[in-house]
């Protein structure tokens, strides 16, 4: 039976500009966001936390922070970053209602 | 629009990896949060908390980013093709970048397969399906614009990518 329902949702508007977003710009912005996120994670979250809480030195790479000093706080860096960025994300979304 | 999009994608990367890591460590008993709960008893309960808490937080993060994409960046919910383009490209860009940089890391290629790639490919997978979880009735708070080509973003990305891959990819020793 063909769908002839008159109660189907009507699109809010046409899709006039779906292909007009520049692919290079999207990739460039995404790469910068990925770099920033990774540096926040490994560098600030693990590395800086370790140096501030007892590590004398460590090796920072894109995949991990390596140091002789280790602690739960250093491993749990996500919690700090996660909460900060959650607040940031929420700040972006919620108060911008008209 | 480009700055708003950059902030939202940065927020997405951080929220997804932050919340997804709970789930990943809970399921695999590997990674940062597995190290945090090691030695805590009962261990199975802590792992279960990571799994349930991680899944719940991840789902909430997906909703927040999806709502943000519509309201804050101004992409109408019904522009599905456009939404896919704006979420799938960041996903594969991040995987490509982190794989490339990870190949040079001095800690061993295994770390790339075991930790960095799962954290990125799995952790950021919310970008692939968030468009289906944006609440009905979410509408843009601003006029929809296109993301135009910007050579400033492209040049900065090219420079920082080179530094990131060649310098940070090989590792930097930091001292207190």
């Amino acid at each position: 039976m063909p769908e002839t329902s008159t109660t189907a949702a009507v699109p809010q508007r046409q899709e006039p500009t779906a292909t007009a977003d520049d692919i290079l710009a999207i990739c460039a912005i995404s790469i910068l966001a990925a770099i920033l996120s990774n540096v926040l994670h490994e560098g600030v979250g693990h590395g800086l936390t370790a140096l501030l809480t007892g590590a004398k030195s460590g090796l920072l790479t894109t995949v991990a922070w390596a140091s002789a000093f280790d602690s739960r706080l250093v491993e749990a860096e996500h919690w700090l970053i996660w909460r900060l960025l959650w607040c940031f994300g929420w700040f972006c979304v919620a108060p911008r209602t008209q | 629009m480009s700055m708003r999009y950059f902030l939202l994608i940065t927020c997405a990367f951080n929220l997804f990896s932050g919340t997804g890591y709970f789930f990943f460590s809970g399921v695999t008993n590997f990674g940062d949060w597995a190290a945090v709960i090691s030695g805590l008893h009962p261990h199975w309960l802590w792992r279960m908390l990571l799994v349930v808490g991680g899944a719940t937080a991840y789902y909430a993060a997906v909703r927040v980013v999806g709502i943000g994409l519509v309201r804050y960046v101004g992409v109408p919910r019904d522009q599905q093709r456009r939404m896919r383009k704006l979420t799938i490209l960041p996903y594969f860009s991040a995987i490509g970048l982190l794989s490339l940089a990870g190949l040079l890391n001095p800690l061993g290629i295994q770390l790339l397969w075991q930790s960095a790639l799962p954290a990125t490919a799995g952790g950021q997978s919310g970008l692939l399906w968030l468009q289906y979880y944006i609440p009905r009735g979410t509408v843009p708070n601003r006029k929809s614009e296109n993301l135009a080509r910007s050579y400033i973003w492209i040049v900065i990305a090219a420079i920082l990518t080179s530094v990131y891959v060649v310098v940070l990819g090989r590792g930097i020793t930091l001292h207190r």
Side-chain angles (χ1 to χ4, degrees):
Chain A
M1 180 178 169
E3 285 188 20
T4 54
S5 169
T6 55
T7 57
V10 177
Q12 291 166 0
R13 65 177 85 172
Q14 292 300 312
E15 194 170 331
T17 55
T19 55
D21 294 307
D22 185 63
I23 290 177
L24 268 181
I26 296 173
C27 290
I29 288 171
S30 305
I31 283 171
L32 286 172
I35 290 173
L36 178 61
S37 305
N38 186 251
V39 170
L40 274 175
H41 173 163
E42 302 295 352
V44 179
H46 288 307
L48 190 64
T49 307
L51 291 174
L52 290 176
T53 55
K56 287 191 167 53
S57 67
L59 180 67
L60 176 66
T61 72
T62 58
V63 294
W65 162 260
S67 168
F69 175 83
D70 208 359
S71 74
R72 284 190 207 279
L73 182 64
V74 174
E75 297 293 352
E77 68 76 30
H78 289 96
W79 183 238
L80 304 172
I81 299 297
W82 178 82
R83 285 179 65 176
L84 285 174
L85 281 151
W86 180 272
C87 295
F88 166 75
W90 185 246
F91 171 78
C92 291
V93 174
R96 295 185 184 260
T97 51
Q98 286 178 337
Chain B
M1 177 189 169
S2 55
M3 181 54 79
R4 289 195 299 275
Y5 179 64
F6 168 72
L7 290 173
L8 185 90
I9 293 299
T10 308
C11 183
F13 283 155
N14 280 281
L15 281 178
F16 291 167
S17 63
T19 54
Y21 223 123
F22 294 137
F23 183 80
F24 172 75
S25 285
V27 169
T28 61
N29 202 27
F30 177 81
D32 294 344
W33 280 93
V36 171
I37 64 164
S38 68
L40 298 180
H41 298 287
H43 192 65
W44 64 268
L45 181 62
W46 284 100
R47 281 186 68 180
M48 201 162 74
L49 277 174
L50 283 180
V51 171
V52 174
T56 308
Y58 194 87
Y59 179 72
V62 164
R63 301 270 287 196
V64 166
V65 172
I67 291 170
L69 188 61
V70 174
R71 283 192 191 161
Y72 180 53
V73 182
V75 182
R77 188 172 168 273
D78 60 324
Q79 290 190 352
Q80 295 286 308
R81 276 184 61 210
R82 186 171 180 219
M83 209 166 266
R84 271 195 293 276
K85 187 174 177 180
L86 291 171
T87 52
I88 290 175
L89 279 175
Y91 177 78
F92 286 107
S93 299
I95 290 178
L97 174 76
L98 293 175
S99 301
L100 185 65
L103 288 174
L104 300 176
N105 94 85
L107 301 172
I109 197 74
Q110 240 186 345
L111 200 59
L112 180 66
W113 307 126
Q114 286 182 342
S115 178
L117 262 186
T120 307
Q124 308 301 350
S125 64
L127 284 166
L128 301 177
W129 46 270
L130 68 82
Q131 69 185 101
Y132 305 110
Y133 290 86
I134 299 171
R136 287 175 194 277
T138 307
V139 290
N141 282 348
R142 60 186 70 241
K143 191 175 163 231
S144 181
E145 299 166 22
N146 279 115
L147 194 64
R149 176 163 297 189
S150 162
Y151 287 103
I152 294 177
W153 284 103
I154 294 168
V155 169
I156 293 173
I159 293 170
L160 287 185
T161 299
S162 307
V163 174
Y164 179 78
V165 170
V166 176
V167 179
L168 198 58
R170 290 177 175 168
I172 306 171
T173 303
L174 299 179
H175 300 275
R176 185 149 48 129

